[in-house]
Amino acid sequence: MARDSGTAVVEWGGRPWFTANEVLAFLLELTALALLGWWGFATGGNVLGRIALGLGTPLLAVVLWALFAAPKARLRPPLAVVLLVKAVVLGGGAAGLYGVGHPVAAVVLAAVMVANTAVAEISRRRPPQVGQEFDGRA
């Protein structure tokens, strides 16, 4: 935080915003998994189908995320592939919410997911330089 004439000002590039966005990203990932499970249990035709979709869909999402999108992913694909996996998993969660009958909440959730992912990817590519002052030299 920076102080200007006695008033605290939160800086967008500082660590608190970065950390808060990372925590939100993790919570959105967990939410997407829960929504995929909810959709699966609500959608499957018979008991076996519900169990298969309710457990299988989030499990598939976890495997995709662990392989391609997690911070310590097993594979290091290009950014486009990482964003595609994130779109499938997070978008799947929002689509699952839509599928169980909550279209407005699904649109709001999707917008938050897109904004969070954009801020996270930009922040990760250009981490904040804490404690460095601009001195005018290139």
Side-chain angles (χ1 to χ4, degrees):
M1 285 206 204
R3 292 212 175 258
D4 183 26
S5 65
T7 306
V9 178
V10 177
E11 297 175 10
W12 283 98
R15 275 281 149 204
W17 284 106
F18 179 80
T19 303
N21 197 63
E22 291 296 312
V23 169
L24 178 60
F26 179 68
L27 294 174
L28 289 172
E29 293 158 16
L30 293 178
T31 300
L33 295 176
L35 292 172
L36 287 169
W38 183 15
W39 170 83
F41 283 118
T43 303
N46 57 22
V47 173
L48 189 58
R50 288 179 181 197
I51 291 171
L53 283 176
L55 297 177
T57 307
L59 181 61
L60 179 60
V62 166
V63 169
L64 282 173
W65 198 274
L67 287 175
F68 302 108
K72 294 183 181 183
R74 304 267 295 156
L75 305 172
R76 286 307 208 184
L79 179 60
V81 174
V82 173
L83 292 177
L84 177 63
V85 170
K86 288 183 177 193
V88 168
V89 173
L90 297 174
L97 185 58
Y98 182 89
V100 294
H102 300 281
V104 174
V107 170
V108 170
L109 180 63
V112 170
M113 288 173 164
V114 167
N116 173 263
T117 301
V119 170
E121 291 303 322
I122 290 168
S123 298
R124 289 175 190 149
R125 301 290 174 249
R126 195 170 26 113
Q129 302 297 320
V130 178
Q132 290 186 350
E133 294 284 324
F134 178 71
D135 63 3
R137 291 182 275 168

